[in-house]
Amino acid sequence: MLLFPKLAGLVLIVLINGETPDSTVGQTVGPDGPQPPPTVTSDPLDITVHETPDRVSISTVGQTVGPDGPQPPPTVTSDPLDTTVQAPCILTLQPPKVVVKYGDKASANCSTTTDHIGMGWEASQGPVDMKDDVQLITWSVDSLVEWGIKPFCFMNPNPDKQCKVHLNVTIYKTPESVSISTVNHTGPMIEGGQYELQCDIQNVAPAELLTVSWFKGDTLVNKETFANSIKTPVNRSATLQISPSRADDGAQYRCEAELDLGPEGPQPPPTVTSDPLNITVHYKPVIDCSNWTPLINTSLDSFPFAVMGKPQWRTKWHQGTSRIPSTKRLSKKDSGQYSYCASNKIGSECCATNITVEYGPEFDCPSEYESREHTLFLANCNVTASPEADVSWSRDGRNVERPHNLTRRDNGLYKVTAQNKHGTEHHVLTINVLYGPEIESGDESVEVYEGRDVTLSCTTEGNPEPEVKWSFNNQSKTTGGRQTTLTISGATPADGGEYTCTATNTFGSQTKRIFLVVKEIPDRVSISFVNHNGQMTEDEPYELQCDIQKVSLLESLTVNWFKEGTLVKSKTFTKPTKTPENVLDMLQITPSINDNGAHYRCEAKLDLGTDGPPLTVTSDALRITVQSPCILTLQPPKVVVKYGDKASANCSTNTDHIGMGWEASQGPVDMKDDVQLITWSVDSLVDWGMKPFCFMNPNPDQQCKVHLNVTIYKTPESVSISTVNHTGPMIEGGQYELQCDIQNVAPAELLTVSWFKGDTLVNKETFANSIKTPVNRSSTLQISPSRADDGGQYRCEAELDLGPEGPQPPPTVTSDHLNITVHYGPEIESGDESVEVYEGRDVTLPCTAEGNPEPEVKWSFNNQSKTTGGRQTTLTISGATPADGGEYTCTATNTFGSQTRRVFLVVKDDRPPLPLIISISLIILLIVIFIICIIICKKKKQSGKYDVQPNDKGLQMMLL
């Protein structure tokens, strides 16, 4: 379909290739014209377009006026309109664009799908002659060196026509060099100054595709492109204006030249980078100023707050108008405001800092203090420290409050402790409180049995220590001096009565009275039968009687019954009495044949408490005789058997009988009269409630029997351990419950569950249960794990204690191990609180922390982090300077808390002190002078006149 131009406000549409065109043309008259718009329609006109150009004319246009208009509709005919249609030229280049480095190979294909009489390439390098028998023709150059080349592919569809397509060719050359420099400046830059950097790019093409990028470090700071249509290589320069700050000192600038050759060019785009340009920025000093709290004897040149400036600066200290040497070591009187100044050739800066000299506690306190009771404690006990010390008082290892209104309880030795972060000091103070005597309250009446020793106590307190005296019936009972107790040996009724104790010192006296009562001991203790004499019959009940005559202090009486030396009963009486009484106590017994010939006795025991050892009176022994009409013996007397296993027992007698046998729910044995031994046996015992017994009939009117004790057991099917209502790691100090589940075990009453932590037994549990059949049982253990338990293993063990008749060792089933993980907060190992290092030396500060999860350890100094991230247990300071001195903080943190440790670093001057240098110099000088004097003296001795005389030994020279 072809759309022709508008003509006189009409739109004309023509259909191609035999299609019938629209017969109606509408005229646009806008919303203000008649509606619907007037329309004129032409008669249909068929046109056909061939590949060769044809002429098409349209001669009639009809206007539609509707059925209400004149018929036939009015018609207006235009002049003929000729159109010419021409077929396109179809050529395809592959690639459509060529990007090639100068001197490299280049090629492109040209193809068509239409008929032609010839096609080829026109180019200043590598032209290709026209060929008529191809649909594809290639242009190729081995070394492209023509900067202005514009090749094109052409095709002749017929002798009268030629079409062509140009190939877009870009030839590039990367820069020979890229360099960076400062413009009109050399040497360091001054902070805040304006400077220009220049990037020179040599021999690059095409310049219009060049981009120069400026970098400070790895940060892009500017980009510049060039508008230039020159295709051949050129030199270009780019500039960058900078105003450096102190943060830029040591920064590196570089420029990068990049040829952006598009997607057809090499990827990534060719780039050439300059060498880096290092800049040095000079700036006046800046002091990170703050108040300072150094330790006593720290020198001023250890001021820890950083000074930054370039070139190197000098510092000065002033206090008020006085200049202070930086080597001054601070005493506790040197606290105050100081001025700290730093200067270099760029400028200077000062800061005012408040220095508070810190030091450990010092005491100004007496060693003894004495005063009357109920007076104020006025001892001047002062502590000086910086920072202020925490002062605590202790006595006998326990912390106490500082005494205020003195009482006798304040007497004693006190340790006063003062502590701050720089140390701990102790002072011992003795307080002596004076007061009159006071006798401790005690028994107003004391009782003693006749013939026993008794001690009367009169414990008194006073300061000075009181003198104590005793009297009885107005007669002194002391032998002189201090006597707090009075002992009466072998008390008699004559010793009974009122005793008086008197305590006296310089501040008063006090008296106490004690009444002594002397009591008689029991007269007699006897044992006898109640309503019986002679022999006893087996399994019949009997009663024995203990008769105690004339007992005083019945509330202190205990009656003990013994059988062959074994205590079988004990009864204590609580009824208070004032006069002696007779007492009876009974013992019920049911003897067996084994008790035949046993001896019984009873014992009356008076517990006198602190008055002395118990008084005991024992009866004579009572021997009993027991007879049995029926004697049966079981072997074994007890059977322990695993469920389903075989069991057996023998029953024997040595007496005559008319029949014996076994009664049992499994394996009963009929009565036999001609045996002295009969056996009960079961191949597989499965009756949990089994109670077999052996019986014997001595005569037709009597039967005796003996029950066989049978225990049927089953070992647990499984034993398992778990935590109750908890999974995952445990928290230190938390409360947790472990549970041990024992499945299908019998009998439960003989089950013991043992809990182990590692190989250590931590708990045992038994079960009170009379159920004989298998049951499930659970045992629990409460634990509160500590960090020492991290990685600990718990297990439980189920054991059936079946006695000596059961299997040995007892059957045991053990659970698998339960491993526990304990999480806890950090704990930093203790270490040196202060570390010293000489200036210029390396020093390492350790901080070893334990915790779970593993703590993160960080260091800080003057509220600034000193770590590089992660876990850093040591901090190394290389080449320590006075500025490195001060307090370092190590903090260990995990999800359960944090802990902090402080280390104070003291940086010492490595140079010998000036007095030492002067002393050594003087000594060396004196030594040199001494040596010179010796040399001069020797020379003097060797100079003068000599008489030389020959002798038999040669020449002799004598000084004249």
Side-chain angles (χ1 to χ4, degrees), residues 52 66 114 135 143 173 197 236 342 356 359 452 530 546 668 715 725 792 813 829 845 872:
T52 57
T114 62
Q135 298 297 109
S143 176
K173 184 179 185 303
L197 305 185
R236 287 291 179 263
T356 302
Y359 52 92
R452 302 295 295 272
V530 177
C546 185
T715 56
N725 299 326
V813 180
E829 286 186 9
L845 307 180
Q872 189 169 344

PDB file of all heavy atoms in Angstrom, residues 52 66 114 135 143 173 197 236 342 356 359 452 530 546 668 715 725 792 813 829 845 872:
ATOM      1  N   THR A  52       9.407  -2.945 -13.401  1.00  0.00           N
ATOM      2  CA  THR A  52       9.822  -1.761 -14.157  1.00  0.00           C
ATOM      3  C   THR A  52       8.855  -0.656 -13.839  1.00  0.00           C
ATOM      4  O   THR A  52       7.655  -0.887 -13.602  1.00  0.00           O
ATOM      5  CB  THR A  52       9.798  -2.044 -15.668  1.00  0.00           C
ATOM      6  OG1 THR A  52       8.494  -2.462 -16.023  1.00  0.00           O
ATOM      7  CG2 THR A  52      10.784  -3.142 -16.015  1.00  0.00           C
ATOM      8  N   GLY A  66     -25.094  11.592   0.414  1.00  0.00           N
ATOM      9  CA  GLY A  66     -26.167  10.834   1.049  1.00  0.00           C
ATOM     10  C   GLY A  66     -27.390  10.718   0.177  1.00  0.00           C
ATOM     11  O   GLY A  66     -27.506  11.343  -0.886  1.00  0.00           O
ATOM     12  N   THR A 114      19.208 -10.636  -5.171  1.00  0.00           N
ATOM     13  CA  THR A 114      18.522 -10.280  -6.424  1.00  0.00           C
ATOM     14  C   THR A 114      19.446 -10.537  -7.616  1.00  0.00           C
ATOM     15  O   THR A 114      20.671 -10.635  -7.476  1.00  0.00           O
ATOM     16  CB  THR A 114      18.106  -8.796  -6.400  1.00  0.00           C
ATOM     17  OG1 THR A 114      19.285  -7.994  -6.305  1.00  0.00           O
ATOM     18  CG2 THR A 114      17.204  -8.509  -5.218  1.00  0.00           C
ATOM     19  N   GLN A 135      26.825 -14.069  -5.933  1.00  0.00           N
ATOM     20  CA  GLN A 135      25.859 -13.411  -5.037  1.00  0.00           C
ATOM     21  C   GLN A 135      26.575 -12.830  -3.809  1.00  0.00           C
ATOM     22  O   GLN A 135      25.955 -12.146  -2.995  1.00  0.00           O
ATOM     23  CB  GLN A 135      24.790 -14.402  -4.561  1.00  0.00           C
ATOM     24  CG  GLN A 135      23.936 -15.003  -5.680  1.00  0.00           C
ATOM     25  CD  GLN A 135      23.127 -13.924  -6.391  1.00  0.00           C
ATOM     26  OE1 GLN A 135      23.418 -13.588  -7.548  1.00  0.00           O
ATOM     27  NE2 GLN A 135      22.153 -13.358  -5.719  1.00  0.00           N
ATOM     28  N   SER A 143      46.975  -5.319   5.414  1.00  0.00           N
ATOM     29  CA  SER A 143      47.505  -4.300   6.336  1.00  0.00           C
ATOM     30  C   SER A 143      46.865  -2.977   5.961  1.00  0.00           C
ATOM     31  O   SER A 143      47.243  -2.339   4.962  1.00  0.00           O
ATOM     32  CB  SER A 143      49.030  -4.213   6.244  1.00  0.00           C
ATOM     33  OG  SER A 143      49.538  -3.176   7.073  1.00  0.00           O
ATOM     34  N   LYS A 173      44.463   3.891  16.624  1.00  0.00           N
ATOM     35  CA  LYS A 173      45.819   3.681  17.111  1.00  0.00           C
ATOM     36  C   LYS A 173      45.844   4.043  18.588  1.00  0.00           C
ATOM     37  O   LYS A 173      45.432   5.148  18.966  1.00  0.00           O
ATOM     38  CB  LYS A 173      46.806   4.566  16.342  1.00  0.00           C
ATOM     39  CG  LYS A 173      48.270   4.321  16.743  1.00  0.00           C
ATOM     40  CD  LYS A 173      49.202   5.209  15.923  1.00  0.00           C
ATOM     41  CE  LYS A 173      50.657   4.873  16.226  1.00  0.00           C
ATOM     42  NZ  LYS A 173      50.977   4.997  17.635  1.00  0.00           N
ATOM     43  N   LEU A 197      46.647  19.684  37.358  1.00  0.00           N
ATOM     44  CA  LEU A 197      47.325  18.490  36.879  1.00  0.00           C
ATOM     45  C   LEU A 197      47.046  18.354  35.382  1.00  0.00           C
ATOM     46  O   LEU A 197      45.955  18.710  34.905  1.00  0.00           O
ATOM     47  CB  LEU A 197      46.816  17.248  37.610  1.00  0.00           C
ATOM     48  CG  LEU A 197      46.887  17.268  39.139  1.00  0.00           C
ATOM     49  CD1 LEU A 197      46.459  15.917  39.693  1.00  0.00           C
ATOM     50  CD2 LEU A 197      48.283  17.625  39.625  1.00  0.00           C
ATOM     51  N   ARG A 236      46.994  14.869  22.470  1.00  0.00           N
ATOM     52  CA  ARG A 236      45.936  15.574  23.210  1.00  0.00           C
ATOM     53  C   ARG A 236      46.349  15.716  24.675  1.00  0.00           C
ATOM     54  O   ARG A 236      47.113  14.883  25.206  1.00  0.00           O
ATOM     55  CB  ARG A 236      44.603  14.820  23.122  1.00  0.00           C
ATOM     56  CG  ARG A 236      43.947  14.909  21.762  1.00  0.00           C
ATOM     57  CD  ARG A 236      43.451  16.329  21.490  1.00  0.00           C
ATOM     58  NE  ARG A 236      42.824  16.457  20.180  1.00  0.00           N
ATOM     59  CZ  ARG A 236      43.443  16.894  19.109  1.00  0.00           C
ATOM     60  NH1 ARG A 236      44.732  17.208  19.173  1.00  0.00           N
ATOM     61  NH2 ARG A 236      42.804  17.004  17.969  1.00  0.00           N
ATOM     62  N   ALA A 342      51.645  23.234  69.164  1.00  0.00           N
ATOM     63  CA  ALA A 342      52.454  22.584  68.123  1.00  0.00           C
ATOM     64  C   ALA A 342      52.573  23.554  66.955  1.00  0.00           C
ATOM     65  O   ALA A 342      51.585  24.200  66.565  1.00  0.00           O
ATOM     66  CB  ALA A 342      51.813  21.283  67.673  1.00  0.00           C
ATOM     67  N   THR A 356      44.684  15.811  85.047  1.00  0.00           N
ATOM     68  CA  THR A 356      44.428  15.290  86.392  1.00  0.00           C
ATOM     69  C   THR A 356      45.379  14.130  86.627  1.00  0.00           C
ATOM     70  O   THR A 356      45.266  13.083  85.982  1.00  0.00           O
ATOM     71  CB  THR A 356      42.967  14.809  86.528  1.00  0.00           C
ATOM     72  OG1 THR A 356      42.088  15.892  86.228  1.00  0.00           O
ATOM     73  CG2 THR A 356      42.703  14.304  87.937  1.00  0.00           C
ATOM     74  N   TYR A 359      46.882   8.569  90.807  1.00  0.00           N
ATOM     75  CA  TYR A 359      47.810   7.781  91.614  1.00  0.00           C
ATOM     76  C   TYR A 359      47.013   6.853  92.528  1.00  0.00           C
ATOM     77  O   TYR A 359      45.810   7.028  92.742  1.00  0.00           O
ATOM     78  CB  TYR A 359      48.737   8.685  92.431  1.00  0.00           C
ATOM     79  CG  TYR A 359      48.017   9.745  93.250  1.00  0.00           C
ATOM     80  CD1 TYR A 359      47.637   9.492  94.565  1.00  0.00           C
ATOM     81  CD2 TYR A 359      47.717  10.975  92.680  1.00  0.00           C
ATOM     82  CE1 TYR A 359      46.976  10.468  95.305  1.00  0.00           C
ATOM     83  CE2 TYR A 359      47.060  11.955  93.408  1.00  0.00           C
ATOM     84  CZ  TYR A 359      46.685  11.698  94.724  1.00  0.00           C
ATOM     85  OH  TYR A 359      46.034  12.638  95.446  1.00  0.00           O
ATOM     86  N   ARG A 452      28.423 -37.557 140.770  1.00  0.00           N
ATOM     87  CA  ARG A 452      28.955 -37.060 139.504  1.00  0.00           C
ATOM     88  C   ARG A 452      29.574 -35.674 139.685  1.00  0.00           C
ATOM     89  O   ARG A 452      29.252 -34.951 140.632  1.00  0.00           O
ATOM     90  CB  ARG A 452      27.842 -36.965 138.444  1.00  0.00           C
ATOM     91  CG  ARG A 452      27.126 -38.271 138.166  1.00  0.00           C
ATOM     92  CD  ARG A 452      28.050 -39.303 137.553  1.00  0.00           C
ATOM     93  NE  ARG A 452      28.518 -38.923 136.244  1.00  0.00           N
ATOM     94  CZ  ARG A 452      27.861 -39.196 135.102  1.00  0.00           C
ATOM     95  NH1 ARG A 452      26.748 -39.913 135.146  1.00  0.00           N
ATOM     96  NH2 ARG A 452      28.351 -38.821 133.951  1.00  0.00           N
ATOM     97  N   VAL A 530       6.010 -61.448 130.866  1.00  0.00           N
ATOM     98  CA  VAL A 530       4.667 -61.038 131.291  1.00  0.00           C
ATOM     99  C   VAL A 530       3.723 -62.205 131.052  1.00  0.00           C
ATOM    100  O   VAL A 530       3.551 -62.644 129.896  1.00  0.00           O
ATOM    101  CB  VAL A 530       4.198 -59.780 130.529  1.00  0.00           C
ATOM    102  CG1 VAL A 530       2.779 -59.411 130.932  1.00  0.00           C
ATOM    103  CG2 VAL A 530       5.146 -58.616 130.772  1.00  0.00           C
ATOM    104  N   CYS A 546      10.499 -54.407 131.186  1.00  0.00           N
ATOM    105  CA  CYS A 546      11.681 -53.804 131.803  1.00  0.00           C
ATOM    106  C   CYS A 546      11.201 -52.902 132.931  1.00  0.00           C
ATOM    107  O   CYS A 546      10.393 -51.983 132.707  1.00  0.00           O
ATOM    108  CB  CYS A 546      12.479 -53.006 130.777  1.00  0.00           C
ATOM    109  SG  CYS A 546      14.033 -52.353 131.430  1.00  0.00           S
ATOM    110  N   PRO A 668       3.614 -77.851  90.462  1.00  0.00           N
ATOM    111  CA  PRO A 668       3.309 -78.398  91.800  1.00  0.00           C
ATOM    112  C   PRO A 668       3.757 -79.863  91.873  1.00  0.00           C
ATOM    113  O   PRO A 668       3.802 -80.570  90.882  1.00  0.00           O
ATOM    114  CB  PRO A 668       1.800 -78.243  91.897  1.00  0.00           C
ATOM    115  CG  PRO A 668       1.312 -78.220  90.491  1.00  0.00           C
ATOM    116  CD  PRO A 668       2.395 -77.561  89.683  1.00  0.00           C
ATOM    117  N   THR A 715      15.571 -57.974  82.231  1.00  0.00           N
ATOM    118  CA  THR A 715      16.423 -56.802  82.010  1.00  0.00           C
ATOM    119  C   THR A 715      15.739 -55.831  81.039  1.00  0.00           C
ATOM    120  O   THR A 715      14.922 -56.243  80.213  1.00  0.00           O
ATOM    121  CB  THR A 715      17.790 -57.219  81.433  1.00  0.00           C
ATOM    122  OG1 THR A 715      17.582 -57.961  80.237  1.00  0.00           O
ATOM    123  CG2 THR A 715      18.559 -58.066  82.441  1.00  0.00           C
ATOM    124  N   ASN A 725      12.006 -30.867  77.260  1.00  0.00           N
ATOM    125  CA  ASN A 725      11.538 -29.556  76.782  1.00  0.00           C
ATOM    126  C   ASN A 725      12.696 -28.631  76.406  1.00  0.00           C
ATOM    127  O   ASN A 725      12.672 -27.429  76.660  1.00  0.00           O
ATOM    128  CB  ASN A 725      10.656 -28.871  77.842  1.00  0.00           C
ATOM    129  CG  ASN A 725       9.428 -29.680  78.169  1.00  0.00           C
ATOM    130  OD1 ASN A 725       8.868 -30.347  77.293  1.00  0.00           O
ATOM    131  ND2 ASN A 725       9.001 -29.648  79.421  1.00  0.00           N
ATOM    132  N   GLY A 792      30.657 -31.825  77.967  1.00  0.00           N
ATOM    133  CA  GLY A 792      30.510 -32.940  78.900  1.00  0.00           C
ATOM    134  C   GLY A 792      29.563 -33.997  78.364  1.00  0.00           C
ATOM    135  O   GLY A 792      28.701 -33.742  77.512  1.00  0.00           O
ATOM    136  N   VAL A 813      22.157 -52.210  81.967  1.00  0.00           N
ATOM    137  CA  VAL A 813      21.984 -51.693  80.603  1.00  0.00           C
ATOM    138  C   VAL A 813      22.264 -50.193  80.657  1.00  0.00           C
ATOM    139  O   VAL A 813      21.705 -49.480  81.500  1.00  0.00           O
ATOM    140  CB  VAL A 813      20.570 -51.964  80.046  1.00  0.00           C
ATOM    141  CG1 VAL A 813      20.455 -51.408  78.624  1.00  0.00           C
ATOM    142  CG2 VAL A 813      20.264 -53.452  80.068  1.00  0.00           C
ATOM    143  N   GLU A 829      41.330 -13.622  80.792  1.00  0.00           N
ATOM    144  CA  GLU A 829      42.355 -14.041  81.749  1.00  0.00           C
ATOM    145  C   GLU A 829      43.018 -12.809  82.364  1.00  0.00           C
ATOM    146  O   GLU A 829      43.253 -11.814  81.701  1.00  0.00           O
ATOM    147  CB  GLU A 829      43.420 -14.889  81.052  1.00  0.00           C
ATOM    148  CG  GLU A 829      42.952 -16.292  80.704  1.00  0.00           C
ATOM    149  CD  GLU A 829      44.087 -17.130  80.155  1.00  0.00           C
ATOM    150  OE1 GLU A 829      45.252 -16.675  80.208  1.00  0.00           O
ATOM    151  OE2 GLU A 829      43.811 -18.246  79.672  1.00  0.00           O
ATOM    152  N   LEU A 845      50.564  -6.262  73.817  1.00  0.00           N
ATOM    153  CA  LEU A 845      49.617  -6.326  74.928  1.00  0.00           C
ATOM    154  C   LEU A 845      48.704  -7.528  74.704  1.00  0.00           C
ATOM    155  O   LEU A 845      48.008  -7.594  73.697  1.00  0.00           O
ATOM    156  CB  LEU A 845      48.790  -5.041  75.003  1.00  0.00           C
ATOM    157  CG  LEU A 845      49.590  -3.731  75.046  1.00  0.00           C
ATOM    158  CD1 LEU A 845      48.642  -2.546  75.120  1.00  0.00           C
ATOM    159  CD2 LEU A 845      50.545  -3.723  76.228  1.00  0.00           C
ATOM    160  N   GLN A 872      41.019 -10.258  67.744  1.00  0.00           N
ATOM    161  CA  GLN A 872      42.408  -9.833  67.895  1.00  0.00           C
ATOM    162  C   GLN A 872      42.773  -9.916  69.367  1.00  0.00           C
ATOM    163  O   GLN A 872      42.454  -9.035  70.160  1.00  0.00           O
ATOM    164  CB  GLN A 872      42.581  -8.404  67.378  1.00  0.00           C
ATOM    165  CG  GLN A 872      44.043  -7.969  67.307  1.00  0.00           C
ATOM    166  CD  GLN A 872      44.199  -6.668  66.543  1.00  0.00           C
ATOM    167  OE1 GLN A 872      43.304  -6.243  65.841  1.00  0.00           O
ATOM    168  NE2 GLN A 872      45.335  -6.028  66.687  1.00  0.00           N
TER     169      GLN A 872
END
